[in-house]
Amino acid sequence: MTIDKETPNFSFARRKTLALLGVGGAVSFFAPNLLGRGRALATAPSRPTGQLIVGLSQEPTVFNPHKLHLEVDEGIQFALFDTLFTVNEKGIFEPSLAAEVPTVANGGVSEDGLNWRIKLRDDVKWHDGEPFTAEDVKFTLELLVDPKFNSWRRTGHELVRNLTVVSPTELTWRMEAPFAPYPSILAATFIVAAHTFKGIEDKNTAPIDSAPIGTGPFKFVSRRPGDSIEVAANLDYFGDGPYIEKVVFRYIPDQTVLYTQFTTGDIDLISISYIPPDKYAEAKTLPGRDVQLMSASSVECIAFNTGRAPLDEQAVRQAIYYAFDRDTALEQIYYGVPIATESYMPQQSFYYNPNLPQHEFDLEKAKQLLDAAGWVPGPDGIRVKGGQRLSFTNSTTAGNYVREQVQQYLQQTLGEVGIEMTIENMPAAVLFADFWLKSQFHSVMHGQDFLTGSDPDTSDFFLSTNSAAKGGGGLNFWQYSNPEVDRLLTEGGRLFVPEQRKPIYAKIQELVRNDLPFITMWQRRTVRGHKERLTGYRDNVNVRIDTWNIGDWYWS
């Protein structure tokens, strides 16, 4: 397991094959698969055995991996579904549903990156016994760009043309233009069964939403709303594993209760939102527990809805940042566990921009900004302009007491400059439903992973056309719009050499830092824990949640 990697060069090492492709075009589009899937474990049981209870602080919202969804949803989806190929903790692509990782050498990708040929395994079955074929891949890629479907990601997929099923185990397509992030996007694209959507006119209401059928290492058993989800070992799984007979994902929204159940052994593994920072020192002393501090690619944010007054004003957003005593919150509330940062890009990334303006806690500058913007103090101290009070709400997941402490601290300092922030927290299932997905909020304190694997593209989040509230298909929840960012994202997606891409994404980070559609508070370092006997658990900064390899886990 990796503990707080601080070297800033991991992305280039993982993507050097793309650099070579951009220079000479005669090598693999992907890192070659030299290791296989890595699932054969000599000490693993010969058949699935035992039960695992995973504790979650949020309740998963959707099973369909292609509808707008959250990080916690992927915790379940990794158990139920598979992708064509995966990316492991070293950044190496490995085949999954695909028989091999497509390369220039094996004919999977043309030298210009435009023509693709995918060869599939012939021994995969869906959980209901139906065979997995190329038709399922074709259906999945077409579903993602269906204008009537509430797709969580169209970026990259909308460039696919001439999608053709050659045989049950082979399909081809052509990209309208080279798109460097597409390999990482495909590695994060779960394949769904075409036959489960047959005869369904509105694909947003398919049976997969309540009774998911996948190819993954586990089969769906049941869901108890507000309580848990149960899955069981898929005995017909095409890969090595699974090694655990039954997994129960139990949601416990109160972080104190979640941690207590970890200490008592009622849960075997504490997943999102992991162990609270103030419990790290204590957790390390727990007998029979493996507790480690791990770097994550996600950042903790305060998201602003830039399409809603008064947060549509840049001066207001900047004043809020000046009035936020981030360093004190980091040290006294988070016990110094996360890493202070100005960028949404992980500091370990090759593309990270270390030269962004550093945050200042300065109440006088906040007041000066608001004065200049025409916000004047009212009778009660709260500023007004044009008859409107400088007031907004902030929401986060109810029961996350660490975030709640940050909210209360921010509320206090904002009041000192004449900004009223009211706190309206709610259960995760409510907060991250349409309230979040369709930009109905004022501001939200949350964690966000902006990257797909190690690729720096953030079109899903920053492209102005990717706001669901405006009819787009993407994750631009803050309704952010900057024409220069749109142009740079398009340019960066067409380049393959990391050194050529780096200044483009550095500039995007600079523009986003200036515009402040969200405040990046700190990069996460999570405190993760599980019972010592659980084997196979590995961190992976290229995915959003820790169950990415749940099929590998077993009780020693």
Side-chain angles (χ1 to χ4, degrees):
M1 296 180 177
T2 303
I3 304 179
D4 189 24
K5 298 170 288 187
E6 293 295 322
T7 54
N9 201 30
F10 84 131
S11 187
F12 174 68
R14 293 171 180 175
R15 302 293 292 175
K16 61 183 178 182
T17 53
L18 289 180
L20 293 171
L21 174 64
V23 174
V27 298
S28 167
F29 201 104
F30 296 97
N33 175 45
L34 302 177
L35 303 177
R37 294 198 69 185
R39 291 214 171 197
L41 303 170
T43 56
S46 58
R47 60 180 180 80
T49 183
Q51 171 180 280
L52 174 71
I53 299 179
V54 177
L56 303 169
S57 64
Q58 301 172 17
E59 180 174 358
T61 59
V62 296
F63 287 126
N64 186 337
H66 301 310
K67 294 174 72 172
L68 290 167
H69 66 265
L70 311 173
E71 181 179 346
V72 69
D73 297 319
E74 292 186 11
I76 309 297
Q77 291 159 6
F78 271 112
L80 300 174
F81 299 96
D82 289 297
T83 55
L84 293 174
F85 37 85
T86 62
V87 58
N88 67 17
E89 68 270 33
K90 296 180 180 179
I92 297 174
F93 289 96
E94 298 177 345
S96 182
L97 293 173
E100 58 186 5
V101 175
T103 66
V104 172
N106 65 25
V109 185
S110 62
E111 292 187 0
D112 59 8
L114 294 177
N115 295 303
W116 290 62
R117 180 178 296 272
I118 303 292
K119 295 181 179 179
L120 306 172
R121 297 179 65 115
D122 62 2
D123 58 348
V124 180
K125 292 182 179 180
W126 294 100
H127 293 158
D128 60 2
E130 291 292 319
F132 159 76
T133 74
E135 292 288 352
D136 298 305
V137 181
K138 182 175 186 291
F139 174 83
T140 298
L141 297 183
E142 291 176 340
L143 177 67
L144 283 158
V145 296
D146 184 340
K148 296 181 180 179
F149 179 69
N150 297 329
S151 175
W152 87 294
R153 169 180 282 151
R154 295 193 177 108
T155 301
H157 301 303
E158 84 277 18
L159 298 175
V160 173
R161 300 288 183 271
N162 303 323
L163 186 55
T164 304
V165 172
V166 177
S167 75
T169 59
E170 189 173 333
L171 72 159
T172 62
W173 68 78
R174 179 174 177 82
M175 301 294 288
E176 182 179 291
F179 189 56
Y182 203 46
S184 291
I185 290 173
L186 281 178
T189 301
F190 293 110
I191 305 301
V192 296
H195 69 273
T196 61
F197 288 81
K198 190 174 182 179
I200 304 297
E201 184 174 346
D202 182 1
K203 295 181 175 60
N204 295 293
T205 60
I208 190 175
D209 290 355
S210 56
I213 293 174
T215 58
F218 293 91
K219 295 182 177 183
F220 174 74
V221 175
S222 64
R223 177 172 194 161
R224 298 177 61 189
D227 182 78
S228 61
I229 292 171
E230 182 179 326
V231 299
N234 176 12
L235 300 181
D236 293 324
Y237 191 57
F238 61 88
D240 296 318
Y243 303 111
I244 293 175
E245 186 174 8
K246 181 171 74 171
V247 180
V248 177
F249 296 91
R250 182 178 295 164
Y251 359 113
I252 307 168
D254 188 304
Q255 278 194 308
T256 301
V257 177
L258 178 63
Y259 175 69
T260 299
Q261 291 202 12
F262 175 67
T263 65
T264 60
D266 291 323
I267 61 174
D268 304 309
L269 181 145
I270 185 167
S271 187
I272 189 170
S273 296
Y274 310 105
I275 296 172
D278 60 333
K279 302 296 184 184
Y280 177 41
E282 175 188 291
K284 287 191 297 183
T285 67
L286 294 173
R289 303 292 187 277
D290 185 339
V291 175
Q292 297 197 37
L293 185 65
M294 298 181 181
S295 292
S297 58
S298 58
V299 292
E300 194 81 359
C301 303
I302 300 175
F304 297 130
N305 188 342
T306 65
R308 185 175 178 183
L311 299 176
D312 56 342
E313 288 192 38
Q314 182 182 18
V316 171
R317 301 193 298 271
Q318 290 175 333
I320 292 171
Y321 201 15
Y322 274 121
F324 176 37
D325 189 356
R326 184 182 68 180
D327 291 345
T328 298
L330 177 60
E331 292 301 321
Q332 296 189 11
I333 300 176
Y334 273 85
Y335 290 76
V337 169
I339 306 167
T341 189
E342 301 300 329
S343 176
Y344 60 85
M345 189 78 68
Q347 293 186 12
Q348 294 87 349
S349 172
F350 174 72
Y351 300 94
Y352 170 70
N353 183 349
N355 301 314
L356 301 177
Q358 293 301 298
H359 172 254
E360 298 177 64
F361 173 55
D362 193 325
L363 297 180
E364 289 307 311
K365 283 187 178 181
K367 293 176 183 178
Q368 291 167 12
L369 275 169
L370 295 173
D371 288 340
W375 291 95
V376 298
D380 62 353
I382 301 302
R383 293 173 181 263
V384 295
K385 182 170 70 172
Q388 178 188 3
R389 286 168 61 84
L390 186 46
S391 177
F392 71 97
T393 62
N394 182 260
S395 305
T396 195
T397 46
N400 189 322
Y401 69 86
V402 180
R403 285 181 183 162
E404 288 172 347
Q405 290 177 46
V406 176
Q407 284 180 311
Q408 293 161 11
Y409 189 46
L410 176 59
Q411 184 183 52
Q412 175 185 334
T413 56
L414 289 178
E416 295 180 35
V417 300
I419 301 175
E420 180 181 60
M421 186 186 90
T422 59
I423 297 172
E424 295 182 1
N425 295 338
M426 54 195 76
V430 178
L431 177 69
F432 293 117
D434 286 352
F435 182 75
W436 171 250
L437 299 175
K438 296 186 178 179
S439 305
Q440 297 169 359
F441 61 92
H442 248 144
S443 70
V444 170
M445 189 175 296
H446 70 116
Q448 185 70 61
D449 191 333
F450 285 87
L451 304 188
T452 301
S454 59
D455 195 277
D457 180 70
T458 47
S459 298
D460 285 330
F461 296 94
F462 302 148
L463 204 62
S464 59
T465 55
N466 279 342
S467 167
K470 298 178 180 178
L475 308 174
N476 187 349
F477 308 120
W478 18 84
Q479 302 192 70
Y480 177 58
S481 179
N482 183 319
E484 179 67 2
V485 170
D486 285 353
R487 184 189 68 78
L488 290 169
L489 286 170
T490 300
E491 182 181 351
R494 292 173 177 169
L495 298 174
F496 292 88
V497 180
E499 287 84 356
Q500 294 177 357
R501 302 181 82 194
K502 187 170 185 175
I504 293 174
Y505 292 98
K507 182 62 176 179
I508 293 173
Q509 291 169 69
E510 179 185 323
L511 292 169
V512 171
R513 169 63 178 83
N514 180 69
D515 294 342
L516 288 180
F518 50 82
I519 289 174
T520 304
M521 298 191 290
W522 36 73
Q523 182 182 341
R524 280 176 168 178
R525 277 189 296 191
T526 55
V527 184
R528 304 193 184 186
H530 57 82
K531 290 182 178 177
E532 283 182 339
R533 289 181 49 241
L534 185 66
T535 304
Y537 182 92
R538 305 196 305 274
D539 67 315
N540 185 346
V541 297
N542 299 298
V543 296
R544 298 208 297 170
I545 197 165
D546 55 354
T547 57
W548 70 280
N549 70 328
I550 192 170
D552 293 350
W553 301 355
Y554 64 96
W555 291 111
S556 62

